[in-house]
Amino acid sequence: MMEFGARPTERTLLLAAQFLHKELPIRIARRALGLDSLPFGLSTKPAILKVRDWYVESFRDIRSFPEVRNQEDELAFTQMIKMIRVRHTNVVPAIALGVQQMKKDLGGPKAFPPGIHEIHQFLDRFYMSRIGIRMLIGQHVALHDPDPEPGVIGLINTKMSPMTVARIASEDARAICMREYGSSPDVDIYGDPGFTFPYVTPHLHLMIFELVKNSLRAVQEQYMDSDKLAPPVRIIVADGAEDVTIKISDEGGGIPRSGLSRIFTYLYSTAENPPDLDGHNEGVTMAGYGYGIPISRLYARYFGGDLQIISMEGYGTDAYLHLSRLGDSEEPLP
């Protein structure tokens, strides 16, 4: 993507549009069919049906678009897939709402029947494919920016500063914490401010935001009724030979060992009363449906990285975000 988009021309953009015209309907159709055959009644939940309709509508839009032959066609096609990307913005919370509806119908986590892990496996595949689709569309649309920032190729910032992204994501997470609790622990960031590497800035922002948000909530609730000052959340950025690793540490009491295996599933949330996404609660909340951590791991794995969570119950939690350098990765084909 970096080589192809470094110097976009009418010809390369036309070739990219022709590829997307053939490839996107295949990926979108697979996702729509998958939503039709989910176990435990999940396919019949209103939120899931809404998502399926989005995918079917997008499939029809692309399939009905004539063959892309020239620059005029390419520009029209780009505008259409840009609108498709917008249409699918709320897929993740909508599916999370459908899973929440299914959990209520099944009687909660304690009443889960055997085979419930099939839901987790499907959602891992579904969300990973969604990341790929949005990356392909977003990269093509972004290459039409007439005035890109220096070093930015589509969605990829070839000189991204993880320290800067960590600071902005932490500020965003603290703002949510302030809104929810009226105060927020500090976030201390350690690393080389001058260090940069190629990565997709929105992906890293999402991952750090979710992890810091979880840490802030844990610390805030741990020290809410205490006279002691809440300790800061610490972020350490390390530049290794193979990976860039970002460690996020908190003293929020940790996660019980029995709960560690569940934090990467879509059927577990640390929130006692998850928000209702039918329109009664708007905006980001401190704890929702429990998809922040598993989705963050998928974003890390998309470019060959990973996310590990290590907890010390009674003290706190460390999250290790391993990021591979983009030049050594290939875009997966879901």
Side-chain angles (χ1 to χ4, degrees), residues 61-306:
D61 285 347
I62 299 175
R63 289 292 292 162
S64 63
F65 195 92
E67 188 177 347
V68 181
R69 297 176 180 272
N70 53 45
Q71 186 189 18
E72 185 179 348
D73 293 345
E74 189 273 324
L75 291 173
F77 178 78
T78 300
Q79 283 302 311
M80 181 194 64
I81 61 174
K82 185 178 180 179
M83 292 306 300
I84 286 175
R85 197 169 189 266
V86 172
R87 177 186 294 150
H88 290 251
T89 299
N90 291 322
V91 162
V92 175
I95 287 188
L97 177 58
V99 171
Q100 193 69 12
Q101 293 165 344
M102 179 199 70
K103 285 166 65 175
K104 287 181 181 177
D105 290 349
L106 293 175
K110 293 181 179 178
F112 282 168
I116 196 72
H117 64 278
E118 291 178 30
I119 300 290
H120 170 74
Q121 292 170 349
F122 166 81
L123 291 176
D124 254 358
R125 292 193 303 270
F126 183 92
Y127 288 139
M128 183 66 92
S129 175
R130 178 179 183 270
I131 293 170
I133 291 170
R134 293 184 71 78
M135 184 71 199
L136 289 173
I137 294 176
Q139 180 73 2
H140 183 74
V141 170
L143 288 175
H144 289 74
D145 185 349
D147 188 26
E149 294 181 29
V152 173
I153 301 173
L155 295 179
I156 302 167
N157 186 347
T158 62
K159 298 183 183 299
M160 188 202 68
S161 165
M163 293 283 289
T164 299
V165 177
R167 178 179 54 78
I168 295 170
S170 298
E171 289 171 357
D172 292 345
R174 289 191 76 239
I176 301 295
C177 190
M178 290 286 290
R179 189 183 72 191
E180 198 96 350
Y181 298 105
S183 63
S184 172
D186 290 333
V187 178
D188 296 338
I189 306 174
Y190 305 91
D192 178 4
F195 166 60
T196 65
F197 77 111
Y199 209 75
V200 180
T201 302
H203 288 194
L204 183 58
H205 181 281
L206 179 146
M207 291 184 280
I208 295 179
F209 172 79
E210 288 291 344
L211 294 169
V212 171
K213 179 164 66 76
N214 285 351
S215 288
L216 290 174
R217 173 172 167 262
V219 172
Q220 188 70 22
E221 295 192 351
Q222 180 81 353
Y223 286 84
M224 191 179 294
D225 300 322
S226 172
D227 294 333
K228 297 179 181 178
L229 184 67
V233 172
R234 293 179 175 83
I235 301 177
I236 301 172
V237 179
D239 173 22
E242 185 175 318
D243 287 342
V244 175
T245 302
I246 299 174
K247 177 184 176 184
I248 299 169
S249 301
D250 68 61
E251 297 175 36
I255 303 166
R257 194 155 53 94
S258 61
L260 273 175
S261 62
R262 300 200 304 266
I263 63 173
F264 284 110
T265 79
Y266 303 94
L267 305 170
Y268 169 78
S269 173
T270 51
E272 293 183 5
N273 296 298
D276 178 2
L277 291 180
D278 273 328
H280 307 301
N281 292 275
E282 295 183 359
V284 180
T285 58
M286 287 303 283
Y289 287 91
Y291 60 75
I293 289 179
I295 287 284
S296 294
R297 184 168 70 170
L298 290 182
Y299 271 98
R301 287 180 170 179
Y302 181 75
F303 282 123
D306 208 352

Side-chain angles (χ1 to χ4, degrees), residues 42-61:
L42 184 55
S43 291
T44 64
K45 297 293 176 278
I48 302 298
L49 292 172
K50 182 187 294 185
V51 172
R52 181 191 173 278
D53 288 345
W54 290 340
Y55 276 85
V56 170
E57 189 177 355
S58 296
F59 175 81
R60 287 173 177 161
D61 285 347

